[in-house]
Every structure is written in structure tokens, then in C-alpha cells.
Amino acid sequence: MAKIVPGRVMHQYDGELVVFHIGMTFNRWWRPDLWIPVGRDMRHMLRELSEDPDSGLLGYELLINGNGPYLAQYWSSIDKLYDYASAASLSHRPAWTRFNAMAKKNPGAVGIWHETFVVERAESMYVGTPAMGLPAATKIMPVEKRHHRARARLADGATTLPTSPADRSHPTAGSTD
């Protein structure tokens, strides 16, 4: 069992913060021959990213919903996320190529989805849990008296956004697919 962090804690982070959700849907659950390789590819990518301190991946949480697994990932930069997604020498591009070939031969069997959020402010609070989410990806801080309310934590939770106006005006620039 994971070590429980005692008391009320929150995260602390100063810098650009990107939250990236990525998941898989088992549209044909009886075809593990199609969805297990996708999961293996994701596990390989996570290991590759976790072993490279300059990758930009701060941390991640594996979650499960009614359609399949998904990850909440925390990144230090939108550019690092897009650079990883497009780097021919790293694992994502070949995995994406394999997925597209499988999806073409078996339409609708396995779905892939993602959502990307560049975060202006972030608030968190955890009580009696193992280190997880934003505190695990960034820095765990005790909740001080001034931060007992979510509104106060959010007010102090400003992050740094990209400075280039082009980054903000073109949401599809550097798309990962």
C-alpha cells in the first residue's frame, strides 16, 4: 500500500502547466489482440518520458472509466508535449503509425482520444491520500490557515502561460495528430 501523506496538502508550482488527458476506449472489448498492443505502447512511452528529466513530463495518474483506461498527465510546457509527440526518434510517432494502421484494418475496434489544457490557475487539496495528482507531479505543501478555502488556494495558484501571442492565437499549432 502506498504511503499516506498525513494532513491536508496542496500542490505548489511556478511555471507553465499543461494538463493532458489521453485515453483508450475498448469498443470491441473481446479483441484484446487489438487493444493490448496500444496499452503496451503507452507503457513504453511513459517509461521513456519518466526516464528523461528534460522530457517535460512532470507526472501522471492512470485512471479507469467505463470505456477504458486514461491518463491525466502533467507537463511543464506545451512545446515539450508537442516536441515529444512529433519527434521521429522517440516512441510516440511509431506507436501512432501502428495505431493508425490497426485502426484502418479494424475500424472502430479501439478508440484513442486526448484533451490538452494550458492552465492559467490550478487549485488542489488532498486529505489522507497517497501522493497523487498535481502534488505528486509538482511539490507537496501543507495547507496553511490562509489556504483553508478553495478560493484562496486558486487565487494563489497562478501559473505561467506561454509568452508568445502566436502560441495563444493558434490552438492547432503543433497538433499532436
Side-chain angles (χ1 to χ4, degrees), residues 132-155:
M132 56 191 276
L134 274 173
T138 60
K139 183 178 178 182
I140 297 174
M141 297 293 296
V143 174
E144 298 173 0
K145 186 175 182 175
R146 75 174 205 258
H147 288 126
H148 277 222
R149 295 191 155 295
R151 187 180 306 271
R153 290 189 302 274
L154 187 61

Side-chain angles (χ1 to χ4, degrees), residues 111-133:
I112 295 289
W113 61 272
H114 78 257
E115 302 172 344
T116 307
F117 308 91
V118 178
V119 180
E120 180 179 340
R121 295 191 175 279
E123 180 272 332
S124 65
M125 203 270 300
Y126 296 77
V127 180
T129 69
M132 56 191 276

Side-chain angles (χ1 to χ4, degrees), residues 20-22 46 57-64 69-74 126 130-137:
F20 182 66
H21 292 184
I22 183 164
L46 290 170
L57 181 69
L58 299 171
Y60 64 89
E61 293 291 328
L62 173 64
L63 306 160
I64 308 278
Y70 72 99
L71 294 160
Q73 296 181 351
Y74 306 98
Y126 296 77
M132 56 191 276
L134 274 173

Side-chain angles (χ1 to χ4, degrees), residues 33-94:
D33 59 311
L34 300 177
W35 50 262
I36 285 176
V38 178
R40 277 193 202 121
D41 281 343
M42 179 55 75
R43 189 172 63 225
H44 182 76
M45 286 183 271
L46 290 170
R47 186 176 28 233
E48 177 177 65
L49 288 162
S50 297
E51 290 173 356
D52 179 4
D54 295 325
S55 69
L57 181 69
L58 299 171
Y60 64 89
E61 293 291 328
L62 173 64
L63 306 160
I64 308 278
N65 70 18
N67 296 316
Y70 72 99
L71 294 160
Q73 296 181 351
Y74 306 98
W75 288 77
S76 65
S77 147
I78 193 67
D79 290 332
K80 287 188 176 192
L81 171 61
Y82 288 159
D83 288 349
Y84 179 74
S86 61
S89 63
L90 298 174
S91 298
H92 176 264
R93 293 305 306 169

